[in-house]
Amino acid sequence: MASERPGPAGAATARRRLTSAELAVWRSLLDTTGELQRRLGARMTADCGLSPSDYHVMVTLSEAPRRRLRPSALAEAMDWERSRLSHQLGRMEKRGLIRREECATDNRGSEIVLTDLGATAFRAATAPHARAIKEHFADALSADQFTALADVLTSLSRHIFPEREA
């Protein structure tokens, strides 16, 4: 039946347009996640003096071997345009959070390295950031809602990244 809700990802689509209810949920998702990101970012800046972009770069570098990545690999890992990353790295380099070093395997290239100061700032920001996530996100949901949200996010991820299932 054309008015029935389609099944999980991969099932045949029964209709071509979003319903007004689906569109309202989509808008609510955008508005809510945008506001959540804004609040968490403002809190991080107030608590730690770091921008969300600083933190994103630092968490990505902290997870990399020897806390270093080529700029292209860093941009890809963060899903950022290289020009955006370049401007961000310039600001962070001036503050001593990262540095650029020659690449040991390619004299034409460089690597972005999380400095000791950057690693210390990142570690200092982690607990306040986790508390803010708890306050603005986790405390708002029940255990059942977390389970349901995890299920929704898994479904979306499988739909968006089918190659990860292989």
Side-chain angles (χ1 to χ4, degrees), residues 6-151:
T13 303
R15 60 175 179 270
R16 302 187 114 160
R17 296 184 199 187
L18 287 172
T19 66
S20 57
E22 290 167 335
L23 188 56
V25 169
W26 171 247
R27 289 298 315 193
S28 179
L29 175 67
L30 293 178
D31 294 346
T32 303
T33 56
E35 181 62 15
L36 182 60
Q37 288 176 342
R38 188 195 67 73
R39 288 180 186 215
L40 291 173
R43 179 81 162 268
M44 180 175 293
T45 301
D47 288 350
C48 309
L50 297 174
S51 71
S53 296
D54 292 337
Y55 192 83
H56 193 180
V57 169
M58 292 161 64
V59 74
T60 305
L61 287 173
S62 74
E63 294 170 346
R66 299 176 26 236
R67 300 186 325 203
R68 63 180 58 229
L69 285 171
R70 298 285 300 261
S72 57
L74 182 57
E76 184 177 333
M78 295 176 61
D79 195 26
W80 279 16
E81 295 293 324
R82 289 189 61 177
S83 62
R84 176 183 181 191
L85 179 63
S86 179
H87 290 288
Q88 178 65 33
L89 294 176
R91 289 187 293 271
M92 293 177 73
E93 190 170 25
K94 287 178 186 173
R95 293 166 40 217
L97 300 172
I98 59 101
R99 71 177 173 272
R100 299 169 205 258
E101 292 183 356
E102 286 186 18
C103 181
T105 60
D106 180 358
N107 291 336
R108 298 170 296 152
S110 65
E111 292 181 312
I112 308 305
V113 181
L114 184 63
T115 63
D116 290 341
L117 177 65
T120 299
F122 171 70
R123 282 191 303 275
T126 299
H129 186 50
R131 283 192 298 273
I133 291 168
K134 183 172 183 337
E135 177 186 332
H136 293 291
F137 175 69
D139 288 349
L141 302 174
S142 69
D144 287 344
Q145 289 172 318
F146 264 104
T147 301
L149 181 57
D151 187 45

